[in-house]
Amino acid sequence: MRTVAAPGTPSTTTAPAPPRPRLDWRLRFGVLSSIWGFSFLLIKVGTEGYAPFQVTLGRLAFGTAVLAAAMAVKRQRLPRGARVWGHLAVAAFFLNALPFSLFAYAELTIPSTLAGICNATSPLWGMALSLVALSEDRPTRVRVAGLGLGFLGVLTVLGAWQGFHGLDATGTAMALLASLSYPVGWIYVRRTLAGTGNSHLSMTGAQLLLATAQLAVITPLFSGYPAHVSWVPLLAIAALGALGTGLAVLLQYGLVAEVGPTTAQMVTYFIPVIATAAGVAILGESLRWTTPVGAVIVLAGAALTQVRRGT
């Protein structure tokens, strides 16, 4: 902070400190896309040493630690009120505990590339659900066409005309259910937690804390404790939690605040591209022509479902 002498007077006034330079939002957008795109590779590596529930518990624990540190730095408190915490517990289940666990189980039998593409169907599920659950979100011909196109893309990815040959049906279904869980959770949040007066950071920190508690109860019942420490999978889980769950949330909220939710949510369309590239280049996963072609169709359909009236 510097002081500037006023002309003709002996007194000084304090000039405001120059704002700290912020990383351009386009760079942060690229970082967020990369983090979430690589998350599916990290899940795959994590499940090579630990059970799916253990992977999810570790992911949530590391992510919660990052948000707790951010809340401490910004001196924010957890929300109050039993009603708010009750709704947050439901949100934690649908937005974190359930989809994270489903993706971890899915990647036991399907490649990370397919899991990343299944994740891209989330806007399609969201649009379909919003037609029923949110009366103000009325359908248009373009959005309905996008919904149909998107699910045509899913069938292309899966090679439906070949009888889904070579794909594990259970793992694929789990990945699709995980992508469905996200819009269910967001619709619930929109209906129950809008206007509570708490900050996004405070609400998300509490949500991740509750999801961690849920997995802490479930994991010992179904997976027990690891027999030994596998360091590479453990590092993958740590990165998945600290970066893919903790830092990514902070980046996402910063982008929403700066450029708006419409632009920020475009990150969804880059995730499957990065997930596919990472899975093929690093994990050596095979890639059939139906995968990239179907992914493009899915993304085109998802984009059309986001078109609003008058745009």
Side-chain angles (χ1 to χ4, degrees):
M1 182 176 293
R2 60 189 177 91
T3 57
V4 180
T9 66
S11 61
T12 60
T13 59
T14 301
R20 292 184 300 174
R22 297 185 64 185
L23 195 63
D24 184 83
W25 74 266
R26 296 170 186 83
L27 294 177
R28 284 179 282 132
F29 183 97
V31 171
L32 180 59
S33 301
S34 299
I35 289 174
W36 274 340
F38 273 88
S39 292
F40 297 95
L41 178 150
L42 294 173
I43 292 172
K44 174 67 79 172
V45 175
T47 56
E48 292 176 354
Y50 298 94
F53 278 137
Q54 294 169 351
V55 172
T56 303
L57 175 58
R59 174 182 187 175
L60 288 168
F62 282 109
T64 302
V66 170
L67 288 191
M71 290 178 63
V73 169
K74 295 188 176 183
R75 298 182 180 180
Q76 293 195 17
R77 296 181 178 180
L78 292 171
R80 298 180 180 180
R83 176 181 172 276
V84 172
W85 279 87
H87 289 313
L88 281 173
V90 177
F93 176 75
F94 283 109
L95 291 174
N96 304 114
L98 179 60
F100 290 0
S101 298
L102 285 173
F103 273 125
Y105 269 102
E107 291 200 40
L108 291 176
T109 55
I110 67 173
S112 64
T113 54
L114 179 56
I117 292 171
C118 287
N119 180 76
T121 65
S122 189
L124 303 177
W125 294 118
M127 188 266 182
L129 290 172
S130 70
L131 300 181
V132 177
L134 299 173
S135 58
E136 71 273 16
D137 199 6
R138 306 314 305 164
T140 64
R141 291 181 179 179
V142 171
R143 299 183 70 199
V144 172
L147 184 63
L149 181 64
F151 284 111
L152 177 62
V154 173
L155 294 177
T156 303
V157 170
L158 301 181
W161 63 91
Q162 299 174 339
F164 307 105
H165 178 70
L167 292 177
D168 181 77
T170 302
T172 304
M174 284 184 175
L176 291 172
L177 284 174
S179 70
L180 169 61
S181 183
Y182 289 122
V184 170
W186 282 119
I187 289 173
Y188 182 85
V189 167
R190 183 173 172 180
R191 283 179 166 268
T192 61
L193 290 170
T196 60
N198 296 293
S199 71
H200 288 305
L201 178 58
S202 174
M203 297 285 279
T204 306
Q207 180 182 305
L208 283 183
L209 179 62
L210 287 168
T212 304
Q214 291 169 0
L215 264 295
V217 172
I218 293 173
T219 301
L221 298 177
F222 292 92
S223 301
Y225 297 96
H228 62 278
V229 177
S230 300
W231 289 106
V232 172
L234 180 60
L235 290 174
I237 294 170
L240 179 65
L243 301 178
T245 305
L247 178 61
V249 168
L250 299 178
L251 288 172
Q252 181 189 33
Y253 283 134
L255 285 171
V256 170
E258 184 171 345
V259 300
T262 301
T263 300
Q265 74 179 1
M266 292 294 290
V267 71
T268 303
Y269 307 124
F270 291 86
I271 293 173
V273 177
I274 296 172
T276 300
V280 172
I282 299 176
L283 297 180
E285 296 177 345
S286 61
L287 189 66
R288 301 181 302 174
W289 71 266
T290 55
T291 302
V293 171
V296 169
I297 298 173
V298 168
L299 295 177
L304 289 176
T305 64
Q306 305 305 304
V307 175
R308 308 295 182 186
R309 293 183 187 275
T311 61

